[in-house]
Amino acid sequence: MNRLTTVITGTTHGIGRVAAQALAQAGHRVIMLVRDAHAGAQVREAMMAALPGAALHVVPCDLASLAQVRRATETVCTEYGLIDRLIHNAGTVAMRAHATVDGYERVFATNHLGPFLLNHGLLPRMADGGRIIVVASCAHDRAQFRTDRRGESSEPHRALDALAHPAAPGWSARQAYDRSKLANILFTFALARRLAARAPDAPRISANCLHPGIVHTHLLPVWLRLLKPLISPGMIDAQAGAQTLLHLALHPDAAALQGCYLDEYQQIATPSALARDVALQEALWSRSLRWTGLPPEQVQ
Ligand SMILES: NC(=O)c1ccc[n+]([C@@H]2O[C@H](COP(=O)([O-])OP(=O)(O)OC[C@H]3O[C@@H](n4cnc5c(N)ncnc54)[C@H](OP(=O)(O)O)[C@@H]3O)[C@@H](O)[C@H]2O)c1
């Protein structure tokens, strides 16, 4: 059987778990990159029971560790062939600022830097017609760049530097998450521009991002999970929250999209002005290369 191959991060809970199962059901070979290998194996077992004969694989990958991302990239590259769908789904929220083993702020590292490095490593393995899908959020819209305690705005490009640092002044849980989701869109648009400019004989690959809706998942701490339906009465379950991701992965019409941001109704939407700022996209891209230890791009 000639299966499409999907690599997807964060399948132990929520949107990623539903999406991984739906993709396996659609006949994809699904490679699940998970932070917790034990939980990943349990999820795989449950999915195999529901879908006997499915092709499901688990690869450990803590996105908050650049070394683990490099190892997972190597495993995927050596053990699996071409990739048809690369889905950056995993995401996290933190109530306090923590440093990763690499010394970066954990939410930014998990939600942006790890996926950036993974993407870089797997891009050469993407098949012609491949689709890269990034789960961003409408929360990007709230992202601001304020770097001091008095709340004074500073120039966004300079403030990018503060994103990666766990001890940045004025750190807040909400801003850290919102900015990481802004980074998802800035990254997707910069990537799509590069993919669109590739030589005509290079594999055709698309990159698009999405807001899944306000979804009842494990993303928030338990107390906030209980409170959230009161604050956001339009909350949907993970099954509904996976639909835009699945549309981008499976629908034939989605093959024509490049550099788009889709809302929870699978419609193309306009993200914030900051997200559309090309200079900011490029500034994040060049810094992300440096932060992940990748060489600077050669200017043609
Ligand atoms: N829920 C919403 O309302 C909402 C709205 C907009 C956007 N989103 C986005 O949707 C995506 C999926 O989130 P969800 O709502 O489904 O949340 P979830 O239920 O908490 O699932 C998040 C997944 O990401 C994984 N993950 C967390 N940290 C990781 C790390 N360091 N390395 C690898 N995987 C890691 C989690 O693994 P563990 O089980 O090991 O923690 C889990 O499998 C995220 O990108 C989120 O920002 C969600």
Side-chain angles (χ1 to χ4, degrees):
M1 185 173 164
N2 205 7
R3 295 176 188 268
L4 293 182
T5 294
T6 288
V7 173
I8 177 169
T9 63
T11 59
T12 47
H13 291 117
I15 296 164
R17 181 173 177 157
V18 169
Q21 180 148 347
L23 289 162
Q25 197 156 14
H28 287 214
R29 177 173 64 152
V30 182
I31 302 158
M32 302 186 282
L33 268 52
V34 298
R35 183 175 63 91
D36 177 344
H38 179 67
Q42 284 182 331
V43 165
R44 179 183 178 276
E45 209 173 301
M47 287 185 191
M48 290 301 293
L51 299 170
L56 291 160
H57 305 266
V58 175
V59 175
C61 178
D62 182 348
L63 289 162
S65 157
L66 296 176
Q68 277 216 29
V69 173
R70 286 190 197 98
R71 266 200 299 279
T73 304
E74 207 176 303
T75 303
V76 173
C77 288
T78 51
E79 291 184 18
Y80 305 98
L82 288 175
I83 301 164
D84 300 282
R85 305 288 182 266
L86 171 55
I87 303 174
H88 298 291
N89 162 75
T92 196
V93 168
M95 291 299 119
R96 287 168 193 273
H98 293 285
T100 64
V101 284
D102 306 294
Y104 296 122
E105 192 279 317
R106 189 159 64 85
V107 174
F108 183 69
T110 304
N111 295 1
H112 170 68
L113 284 182
F116 181 88
L117 182 62
L118 181 71
N119 198 83
H120 199 274
L122 295 184
L123 190 56
R125 295 298 169 128
M126 293 293 296
D128 190 42
R131 305 182 192 178
I132 297 170
I133 299 160
V134 181
V135 182
S137 171
C138 70
H140 82 276
D141 207 22
R142 296 187 305 236
Q144 296 161 3
F145 285 101
R146 292 169 191 274
T147 53
D148 64 32
R149 288 185 190 283
R150 285 166 300 157
E152 285 173 7
S153 295
S154 72
E155 202 263 312
H157 297 229
R158 247 187 324 115
L160 274 182
D161 289 325
L163 281 184
H165 295 292
W171 188 94
S172 84
R174 181 181 244 203
Q175 273 296 313
Y177 180 72
D178 297 349
R179 289 170 178 178
S180 74
K181 293 286 116 181
L182 173 64
N184 289 161
I185 306 179
L186 294 168
F187 160 66
T188 307
F189 288 1
L191 175 62
R193 202 162 36 251
R194 283 161 175 76
L195 294 172
R198 276 157 53 122
D201 57 346
R204 290 165 301 111
I205 301 163
S206 67
N208 295 287
C209 58
L210 66 114
H211 166 62
I214 305 299
V215 192
H216 198 69
T217 63
H218 282 222
L219 192 63
L220 298 173
V222 178
W223 63 271
L224 200 49
R225 246 181 262 162
L226 298 173
L227 214 63
K228 188 74 177 162
L230 305 174
I231 312 165
S232 308
M235 267 185 109
I236 55 179
D237 64 14
Q239 198 69 39
Q243 292 314 305
T244 304
L245 186 168
L246 290 170
H247 173 83
L248 282 172
L250 295 173
H251 202 287
D253 290 353
L257 301 179
Q258 181 70 283
C260 294
Y261 169 67
L262 268 63
D263 65 17
E264 69 265 47
Y265 308 108
Q266 295 90 57
Q267 301 300 309
I268 295 173
T270 306
S272 69
L274 271 186
R276 288 179 281 122
D277 181 332
V278 172
L280 195 60
Q281 293 161 14
E282 291 304 316
L284 178 66
W285 188 278
S286 56
R287 281 164 175 79
S288 301
L289 288 172
R290 179 157 46 82
W291 287 327
T292 54
L294 292 166
E297 271 175 348
Q298 302 296 321
V299 180
Q300 303 295 322

